[in-house]
Amino acid sequence: PQRSSVRARMSAQVAATVSTHVARPGDSLWSIAAAHRGNVGLERYVDDLIRLNGGTVIVVGQAVVLP
């Protein structure tokens, strides 16, 4: 019982810190990376987007998880 409440609190904390970008028509992982990467290399950021989002395909309306 106590273990599940700890997991629930941890999940809530993780969810509160995740940043996303809602995909719009014309977006690609490359364009999202260019807009959000800051000082991280573009290719590295795209690789992280692919890893976090389960592949290279995104669809309009998708909440793309940002590194």
Side-chain angles (χ1 to χ4, degrees):
Q2 187 176 17
R3 190 172 264 193
S4 63
S5 65
V6 170
R7 283 188 193 141
R9 283 196 308 266
M10 289 175 61
S11 293
Q13 289 171 345
V14 169
T17 61
V18 171
S19 295
T20 61
H21 169 90
V22 177
R24 298 182 300 257
D27 276 350
S28 68
L29 292 178
W30 289 92
S31 66
I32 293 168
H36 294 279
R37 69 185 180 98
N39 63 356
V40 176
L42 185 61
E43 289 183 15
R44 178 177 173 193
Y45 201 94
V46 170
D47 288 342
D48 288 344
L49 286 173
I50 292 168
R51 180 180 51 79
L52 289 170
N53 293 283
T56 58
V57 177
I58 59 170
V59 296
V60 172
Q62 177 180 340
V64 178
V65 178
L66 302 174

